Amino acid sequence: MSYPSTLDSCGLRNWATRAVGELAHRREEINALNVFPVPDSDTGSNMAHTMEAAVAELDKGGDVADSLARGAVRGARGNSGMVLSQVLRGVAESTVDSVIDGSVFARSLQQAVELVDRAIAEPVEGTVITVLRAAAEAADDSAARPGATLHGIVSGAISAARTALERTPSQLPALQEAGVVDAGGAGLVILLESLLAEIEGSTGHAGLPAPEEVTVLEVVFFYEGDIDALQAAIAPMGDSLVIARATEDSANVHIHSPQAGAVIETAFAKGKVTNLHLEVLPAPTEPAAEESVARRVYAAAPAGPITDLLESAGVTVVPPEKPIAAEDEDIVLVTGLSSQTGAGRVVPAQSLVAALAAISVNEPNNPDTGAVVAAMRDAANSMRVAHPSQETLASISATCRDLLAEGGEQVTILSALDVDEEDLGQQLHVDVVALNVPDIATEIGVE
């Protein structure tokens, strides 16, 4: 079969949007692999967020490769997101006019390895770095052969990356003990396989073997172009399609789809896409007949307003000095007030506002505890938190602005002061939720 010898700027854009859909589609699966260096189950979320930031930068125009690299570097989360951003930076530094052929791809991976080696003081073998290096070496070898093609070079890189990924448990005791491969390396394989899928024109999901249940994603974006044509194209790809028209040729689009990558590619191909947002939805399940899930959410807190706040959110609160008598399927919020967790699924929350963010996505009637815990961990990890230097409204406002300088859609404030949500929201141009909690030092979270 004949494949294109190059990808132009449109193909590069399609690769990036395809990768967004694939990484979001496999987010929970990658999160479940995350045991090193810290078992915080956020690698899949970090890589998906990083790629979303890269694609969001395309809204601003300019060279596609440069925009993707700039957005990824600025939006990188975690070590895995940083490595992903350096791959895109390697592409940007190796290509001219955002055109990729076999030699450019090989050079991009080599450049990415050099960038990552400079960025990480003490690289650890058996991680995404090992997988990236193996892919780069294979691509370089393939590119040196007579008659090498883009398809062949990318295929060779993926084969080497998969082999390196399979070997990661033998290189890291933490992976071997957990019986998993490296999470970041798995995400990198998905990124590379998304490129191959773009070259081949495939519509299937890339990456790890597909789970038994289909993951559905909520896809939201603002679209400018032929709305009727877009609707006809994406309607068969999912359900809950809502198109709220701003004008006759622009609208906010919402759809639930198991083919998020295809939805995104179609939208970019037919018009202009901005404000792209993806969210993993719980897999559809048959409703239980009048049954509720026997699962509690626990946290430790002293008596007083914090306990009152947590209990109002449905949390079972125990004093910090007492152990938490959780069952295996219970959820334990660890806020730093107590380390006595016993059994249960731990959701780390470095602040009270992060804990509230986790509680806000808790689904008490969802029988899939793993999915609920993953969503709660993601919400807690996504919350950026700060404390104002002074307990004044002016200092609170200034701290909110500092946090929002890195982006954000909602501000949550816990304070003993009386904060006017509506007034502050108008000043900051975001949604503000302010909770009055007596005798508490002000906490501000942005997500």
Side-chain angles (χ1 to χ4, degrees):
M1 184 177 291
S2 177
Y3 298 108
S5 60
T6 64
L7 284 184
D8 59 12
S9 60
C10 181
L12 181 57
R13 178 192 291 268
N14 289 345
W15 169 33
T17 54
R18 182 187 290 265
V20 168
E22 296 297 343
L23 287 169
H25 175 76
R26 312 311 285 270
R27 183 195 317 240
E28 292 182 18
E29 189 175 351
I30 300 172
N31 282 344
L33 300 174
N34 183 199
V35 299
F36 182 87
V38 178
D40 49 8
S41 301
D42 65 354
T43 295
S45 300
N46 288 340
M47 298 188 85
H49 280 302
T50 301
M51 204 66 208
E52 286 179 25
V55 171
E57 192 71 17
L58 294 172
D59 298 348
K60 301 176 182 179
D63 182 84
V64 171
D66 287 343
S67 295
L68 290 172
R70 184 167 57 250
V73 170
R74 289 178 177 174
R77 291 189 181 181
N79 286 344
S80 56
M82 185 280 294
V83 172
L84 187 155
S85 74
Q86 297 307 292
V87 171
L88 294 182
R89 185 180 165 196
V91 171
E93 294 186 2
S94 302
T95 185
V96 177
D97 295 331
S98 298
V99 175
I100 301 178
D101 60 14
S103 61
V104 167
F105 172 73
R107 192 161 60 247
S108 298
L109 293 186
Q110 289 291 347
Q111 180 72 357
V113 170
E114 295 175 10
L115 292 168
V116 170
D117 284 343
R118 288 205 302 266
I120 299 179
E122 298 181 1
V124 177
E125 293 304 317
T127 64
V128 61
I129 301 169
T130 304
V131 179
L132 173 61
R133 187 177 295 113
E137 291 173 355
D140 203 43
D141 290 343
S142 295
R145 298 178 189 143
T149 64
L150 173 62
H151 182 272
I153 294 170
V154 173
S155 297
I158 291 172
S159 178
R162 287 173 177 161
T163 300
L165 178 64
E166 291 170 0
R167 292 175 177 169
T168 55
S170 67
Q171 297 170 291
L172 271 179
L175 300 179
Q176 189 171 41
E177 182 179 348
V180 298
V181 296
D182 179 67
L188 179 63
V189 169
I190 290 174
L191 177 71
L192 297 177
E193 289 190 340
S194 295
L195 175 59
L196 184 64
E198 179 60 32
I199 294 169
E200 294 179 343
S202 170
T203 59
H205 284 294
L208 307 174
E212 292 182 4
E213 292 185 350
V214 175
T215 301
V216 176
L217 279 80
E218 177 185 58
V219 185
V220 181
F221 55 89
F222 192 79
Y223 177 79
E224 295 175 75
D226 188 332
I227 297 173
D228 292 336
L230 176 70
Q231 181 173 353
I234 68 173
M237 299 180 187
D239 54 29
S240 300
L241 176 61
V242 178
I243 298 180
R245 294 179 184 247
T247 66
E248 285 305 307
D249 56 3
S250 66
N252 199 61
V253 180
H254 168 283
I255 187 172
H256 295 174
S257 175
Q259 307 174 57
V263 170
I264 296 167
E265 287 180 51
T266 300
F268 270 101
K270 290 187 173 296
K272 181 180 179 182
V273 175
T274 55
N275 298 331
L276 174 66
H277 178 73
L278 298 170
E279 191 68 38
V280 176
L281 298 174
T285 58
E286 291 296 326
E290 301 299 325
E291 287 187 15
S292 60
V293 178
R295 180 180 61 226
R296 291 186 178 185
V297 178
Y298 288 91
I306 295 178
T307 288
D308 295 341
L309 181 62
L310 290 172
E311 287 182 339
S312 70
V315 177
T316 301
V317 182
V318 300
E321 67 275 8
K322 291 187 177 181
I324 296 175
E327 301 293 336
D328 289 343
E329 288 300 297
D330 289 333
I331 298 171
V332 180
L333 283 167
V334 178
T335 61
L337 295 172
S338 172
S339 60
Q340 302 177 32
T341 60
R345 307 285 192 94
V346 172
V347 175
Q350 300 304 312
S351 65
L352 187 54
V353 285
L356 292 177
I359 295 168
S360 71
V361 299
N362 177 37
E363 296 178 272
N365 295 321
N366 185 346
D368 189 345
T369 302
V372 173
V373 169
M376 293 178 72
R377 286 173 177 167
D378 193 16
N381 290 333
S382 299
M383 182 71 77
R384 289 180 283 112
V385 181
H387 301 270
S389 58
Q390 298 178 338
E391 290 294 320
T392 65
L393 295 177
S395 185
I396 290 174
S397 177
T399 304
C400 290
R401 294 181 190 279
D402 290 342
L403 284 170
L404 289 169
E406 299 180 29
E409 299 175 351
Q410 178 175 298
V411 174
T412 302
I413 302 172
L414 302 182
S415 179
L417 300 177
D418 188 11
V419 178
D420 188 324
E421 295 177 338
E422 184 175 352
D423 180 62
L424 186 57
Q426 290 177 351
Q427 294 179 38
L428 301 175
H429 305 293
V430 295
D431 292 332
V432 173
V433 176
L435 301 177
N436 185 264
V437 184
D439 305 320
I440 188 176
T442 299
E443 286 186 4
I444 302 173
V446 168
E447 55 185 317

PDB file of all heavy atoms in Angstrom, residues 131 158-171 175 180-182 185-186 189:
ATOM      1  N   VAL A 131      12.029   4.673  26.741  1.00  0.00           N
ATOM      2  CA  VAL A 131      11.192   4.390  25.570  1.00  0.00           C
ATOM      3  C   VAL A 131      11.467   5.403  24.458  1.00  0.00           C
ATOM      4  O   VAL A 131      11.568   5.042  23.279  1.00  0.00           O
ATOM      5  CB  VAL A 131       9.706   4.402  25.973  1.00  0.00           C
ATOM      6  CG1 VAL A 131       8.817   4.143  24.756  1.00  0.00           C
ATOM      7  CG2 VAL A 131       9.433   3.354  27.046  1.00  0.00           C
ATOM      8  N   ILE A 158       8.092   2.899  16.382  1.00  0.00           N
ATOM      9  CA  ILE A 158       7.023   2.377  17.252  1.00  0.00           C
ATOM     10  C   ILE A 158       7.353   0.964  17.720  1.00  0.00           C
ATOM     11  O   ILE A 158       7.158   0.622  18.899  1.00  0.00           O
ATOM     12  CB  ILE A 158       5.672   2.396  16.514  1.00  0.00           C
ATOM     13  CG1 ILE A 158       5.213   3.839  16.307  1.00  0.00           C
ATOM     14  CG2 ILE A 158       4.619   1.609  17.280  1.00  0.00           C
ATOM     15  CD1 ILE A 158       3.991   3.977  15.424  1.00  0.00           C
ATOM     16  N   SER A 159       7.866   0.136  16.816  1.00  0.00           N
ATOM     17  CA  SER A 159       8.229  -1.227  17.190  1.00  0.00           C
ATOM     18  C   SER A 159       9.279  -1.226  18.303  1.00  0.00           C
ATOM     19  O   SER A 159       9.166  -1.980  19.285  1.00  0.00           O
ATOM     20  CB  SER A 159       8.747  -1.986  15.970  1.00  0.00           C
ATOM     21  OG  SER A 159       9.149  -3.293  16.312  1.00  0.00           O
ATOM     22  N   ALA A 160      10.274  -0.367  18.159  1.00  0.00           N
ATOM     23  CA  ALA A 160      11.314  -0.280  19.190  1.00  0.00           C
ATOM     24  C   ALA A 160      10.759   0.280  20.491  1.00  0.00           C
ATOM     25  O   ALA A 160      11.137  -0.153  21.583  1.00  0.00           O
ATOM     26  CB  ALA A 160      12.456   0.604  18.685  1.00  0.00           C
ATOM     27  N   ALA A 161       9.859   1.239  20.390  1.00  0.00           N
ATOM     28  CA  ALA A 161       9.256   1.832  21.592  1.00  0.00           C
ATOM     29  C   ALA A 161       8.434   0.791  22.346  1.00  0.00           C
ATOM     30  O   ALA A 161       8.484   0.716  23.573  1.00  0.00           O
ATOM     31  CB  ALA A 161       8.392   3.028  21.202  1.00  0.00           C
ATOM     32  N   ARG A 162       7.680  -0.018  21.603  1.00  0.00           N
ATOM     33  CA  ARG A 162       6.874  -1.059  22.252  1.00  0.00           C
ATOM     34  C   ARG A 162       7.768  -2.066  22.976  1.00  0.00           C
ATOM     35  O   ARG A 162       7.473  -2.486  24.096  1.00  0.00           O
ATOM     36  CB  ARG A 162       6.025  -1.785  21.208  1.00  0.00           C
ATOM     37  CG  ARG A 162       4.856  -0.995  20.666  1.00  0.00           C
ATOM     38  CD  ARG A 162       4.220  -1.757  19.528  1.00  0.00           C
ATOM     39  NE  ARG A 162       3.045  -1.091  18.996  1.00  0.00           N
ATOM     40  CZ  ARG A 162       2.523  -1.347  17.801  1.00  0.00           C
ATOM     41  NH1 ARG A 162       3.096  -2.272  17.022  1.00  0.00           N
ATOM     42  NH2 ARG A 162       1.449  -0.708  17.375  1.00  0.00           N
ATOM     43  N   THR A 163       8.860  -2.461  22.313  1.00  0.00           N
ATOM     44  CA  THR A 163       9.781  -3.421  22.938  1.00  0.00           C
ATOM     45  C   THR A 163      10.390  -2.830  24.204  1.00  0.00           C
ATOM     46  O   THR A 163      10.474  -3.499  25.240  1.00  0.00           O
ATOM     47  CB  THR A 163      10.884  -3.817  21.954  1.00  0.00           C
ATOM     48  OG1 THR A 163      10.300  -4.425  20.792  1.00  0.00           O
ATOM     49  CG2 THR A 163      11.857  -4.786  22.579  1.00  0.00           C
ATOM     50  N   ALA A 164      10.809  -1.576  24.113  1.00  0.00           N
ATOM     51  CA  ALA A 164      11.387  -0.911  25.285  1.00  0.00           C
ATOM     52  C   ALA A 164      10.368  -0.794  26.405  1.00  0.00           C
ATOM     53  O   ALA A 164      10.699  -0.963  27.583  1.00  0.00           O
ATOM     54  CB  ALA A 164      11.903   0.477  24.888  1.00  0.00           C
ATOM     55  N   LEU A 165       9.113  -0.518  26.041  1.00  0.00           N
ATOM     56  CA  LEU A 165       8.065  -0.407  27.052  1.00  0.00           C
ATOM     57  C   LEU A 165       7.850  -1.742  27.759  1.00  0.00           C
ATOM     58  O   LEU A 165       7.719  -1.793  28.993  1.00  0.00           O
ATOM     59  CB  LEU A 165       6.762   0.050  26.391  1.00  0.00           C
ATOM     60  CG  LEU A 165       5.542   0.183  27.307  1.00  0.00           C
ATOM     61  CD1 LEU A 165       5.765   1.265  28.355  1.00  0.00           C
ATOM     62  CD2 LEU A 165       4.285   0.486  26.485  1.00  0.00           C
ATOM     63  N   GLU A 166       7.832  -2.825  26.997  1.00  0.00           N
ATOM     64  CA  GLU A 166       7.628  -4.143  27.592  1.00  0.00           C
ATOM     65  C   GLU A 166       8.750  -4.514  28.554  1.00  0.00           C
ATOM     66  O   GLU A 166       8.542  -5.303  29.484  1.00  0.00           O
ATOM     67  CB  GLU A 166       7.532  -5.197  26.479  1.00  0.00           C
ATOM     68  CG  GLU A 166       6.265  -5.081  25.623  1.00  0.00           C
ATOM     69  CD  GLU A 166       6.315  -5.975  24.398  1.00  0.00           C
ATOM     70  OE1 GLU A 166       7.334  -6.676  24.224  1.00  0.00           O
ATOM     71  OE2 GLU A 166       5.347  -5.969  23.618  1.00  0.00           O
ATOM     72  N   ARG A 167       9.934  -3.940  28.345  1.00  0.00           N
ATOM     73  CA  ARG A 167      11.087  -4.267  29.194  1.00  0.00           C
ATOM     74  C   ARG A 167      11.186  -3.393  30.443  1.00  0.00           C
ATOM     75  O   ARG A 167      12.019  -3.661  31.311  1.00  0.00           O
ATOM     76  CB  ARG A 167      12.376  -4.123  28.380  1.00  0.00           C
ATOM     77  CG  ARG A 167      12.513  -5.162  27.275  1.00  0.00           C
ATOM     78  CD  ARG A 167      13.739  -4.892  26.417  1.00  0.00           C
ATOM     79  NE  ARG A 167      13.915  -5.914  25.393  1.00  0.00           N
ATOM     80  CZ  ARG A 167      14.768  -5.813  24.376  1.00  0.00           C
ATOM     81  NH1 ARG A 167      15.536  -4.722  24.250  1.00  0.00           N
ATOM     82  NH2 ARG A 167      14.873  -6.784  23.489  1.00  0.00           N
ATOM     83  N   THR A 168      10.375  -2.350  30.528  1.00  0.00           N
ATOM     84  CA  THR A 168      10.516  -1.426  31.662  1.00  0.00           C
ATOM     85  C   THR A 168      10.346  -2.097  33.023  1.00  0.00           C
ATOM     86  O   THR A 168      11.036  -1.708  33.975  1.00  0.00           O
ATOM     87  CB  THR A 168       9.544  -0.231  31.531  1.00  0.00           C
ATOM     88  OG1 THR A 168       8.193  -0.707  31.379  1.00  0.00           O
ATOM     89  CG2 THR A 168       9.915   0.646  30.350  1.00  0.00           C
ATOM     90  N   PRO A 169       9.468  -3.106  33.188  1.00  0.00           N
ATOM     91  CA  PRO A 169       9.377  -3.726  34.515  1.00  0.00           C
ATOM     92  C   PRO A 169      10.676  -4.374  34.974  1.00  0.00           C
ATOM     93  O   PRO A 169      10.938  -4.451  36.184  1.00  0.00           O
ATOM     94  CB  PRO A 169       8.272  -4.774  34.341  1.00  0.00           C
ATOM     95  CG  PRO A 169       7.439  -4.256  33.218  1.00  0.00           C
ATOM     96  CD  PRO A 169       8.427  -3.617  32.282  1.00  0.00           C
ATOM     97  N   SER A 170      11.494  -4.847  34.039  1.00  0.00           N
ATOM     98  CA  SER A 170      12.767  -5.466  34.422  1.00  0.00           C
ATOM     99  C   SER A 170      13.808  -4.433  34.811  1.00  0.00           C
ATOM    100  O   SER A 170      14.851  -4.775  35.375  1.00  0.00           O
ATOM    101  CB  SER A 170      13.300  -6.328  33.266  1.00  0.00           C
ATOM    102  OG  SER A 170      13.665  -5.509  32.160  1.00  0.00           O
ATOM    103  N   GLN A 171      13.531  -3.146  34.549  1.00  0.00           N
ATOM    104  CA  GLN A 171      14.489  -2.088  34.854  1.00  0.00           C
ATOM    105  C   GLN A 171      14.137  -1.308  36.110  1.00  0.00           C
ATOM    106  O   GLN A 171      14.990  -0.631  36.675  1.00  0.00           O
ATOM    107  CB  GLN A 171      14.582  -1.121  33.662  1.00  0.00           C
ATOM    108  CG  GLN A 171      15.106  -1.782  32.398  1.00  0.00           C
ATOM    109  CD  GLN A 171      14.967  -0.873  31.182  1.00  0.00           C
ATOM    110  OE1 GLN A 171      13.866  -0.599  30.720  1.00  0.00           O
ATOM    111  NE2 GLN A 171      16.086  -0.405  30.666  1.00  0.00           N
ATOM    112  N   LEU A 175       7.908  -1.081  39.143  1.00  0.00           N
ATOM    113  CA  LEU A 175       7.044  -1.573  38.073  1.00  0.00           C
ATOM    114  C   LEU A 175       6.900  -3.088  38.140  1.00  0.00           C
ATOM    115  O   LEU A 175       5.807  -3.627  37.953  1.00  0.00           O
ATOM    116  CB  LEU A 175       7.614  -1.169  36.709  1.00  0.00           C
ATOM    117  CG  LEU A 175       7.783   0.327  36.437  1.00  0.00           C
ATOM    118  CD1 LEU A 175       8.376   0.541  35.046  1.00  0.00           C
ATOM    119  CD2 LEU A 175       6.457   1.055  36.562  1.00  0.00           C
ATOM    120  N   VAL A 180       3.254  -3.851  36.159  1.00  0.00           N
ATOM    121  CA  VAL A 180       2.817  -2.924  35.118  1.00  0.00           C
ATOM    122  C   VAL A 180       4.018  -2.408  34.345  1.00  0.00           C
ATOM    123  O   VAL A 180       5.158  -2.515  34.793  1.00  0.00           O
ATOM    124  CB  VAL A 180       2.043  -1.719  35.718  1.00  0.00           C
ATOM    125  CG1 VAL A 180       0.785  -2.189  36.422  1.00  0.00           C
ATOM    126  CG2 VAL A 180       2.927  -0.919  36.671  1.00  0.00           C
ATOM    127  N   VAL A 181       3.753  -1.845  33.176  1.00  0.00           N
ATOM    128  CA  VAL A 181       4.791  -1.146  32.422  1.00  0.00           C
ATOM    129  C   VAL A 181       4.767   0.333  32.821  1.00  0.00           C
ATOM    130  O   VAL A 181       3.877   0.789  33.530  1.00  0.00           O
ATOM    131  CB  VAL A 181       4.575  -1.287  30.897  1.00  0.00           C
ATOM    132  CG1 VAL A 181       4.705  -2.741  30.479  1.00  0.00           C
ATOM    133  CG2 VAL A 181       3.214  -0.718  30.488  1.00  0.00           C
ATOM    134  N   ASP A 182       5.756   1.094  32.362  1.00  0.00           N
ATOM    135  CA  ASP A 182       5.824   2.511  32.724  1.00  0.00           C
ATOM    136  C   ASP A 182       4.681   3.298  32.088  1.00  0.00           C
ATOM    137  O   ASP A 182       4.420   3.177  30.886  1.00  0.00           O
ATOM    138  CB  ASP A 182       7.162   3.105  32.276  1.00  0.00           C
ATOM    139  CG  ASP A 182       7.264   4.573  32.611  1.00  0.00           C
ATOM    140  OD1 ASP A 182       7.324   4.917  33.801  1.00  0.00           O
ATOM    141  OD2 ASP A 182       7.256   5.392  31.667  1.00  0.00           O
ATOM    142  N   GLY A 185       5.829   5.913  29.414  1.00  0.00           N
ATOM    143  CA  GLY A 185       6.228   5.222  28.189  1.00  0.00           C
ATOM    144  C   GLY A 185       5.022   4.756  27.391  1.00  0.00           C
ATOM    145  O   GLY A 185       5.009   4.814  26.154  1.00  0.00           O
ATOM    146  N   ALA A 186       3.986   4.290  28.106  1.00  0.00           N
ATOM    147  CA  ALA A 186       2.757   3.877  27.422  1.00  0.00           C
ATOM    148  C   ALA A 186       2.117   5.058  26.700  1.00  0.00           C
ATOM    149  O   ALA A 186       1.628   4.933  25.568  1.00  0.00           O
ATOM    150  CB  ALA A 186       1.777   3.281  28.435  1.00  0.00           C
ATOM    151  N   VAL A 189       4.037   5.830  23.491  1.00  0.00           N
ATOM    152  CA  VAL A 189       3.689   4.889  22.414  1.00  0.00           C
ATOM    153  C   VAL A 189       2.381   5.317  21.751  1.00  0.00           C
ATOM    154  O   VAL A 189       2.250   5.286  20.524  1.00  0.00           O
ATOM    155  CB  VAL A 189       3.583   3.452  22.965  1.00  0.00           C
ATOM    156  CG1 VAL A 189       2.953   2.516  21.930  1.00  0.00           C
ATOM    157  CG2 VAL A 189       4.965   2.934  23.352  1.00  0.00           C
TER     158      VAL A 189
END
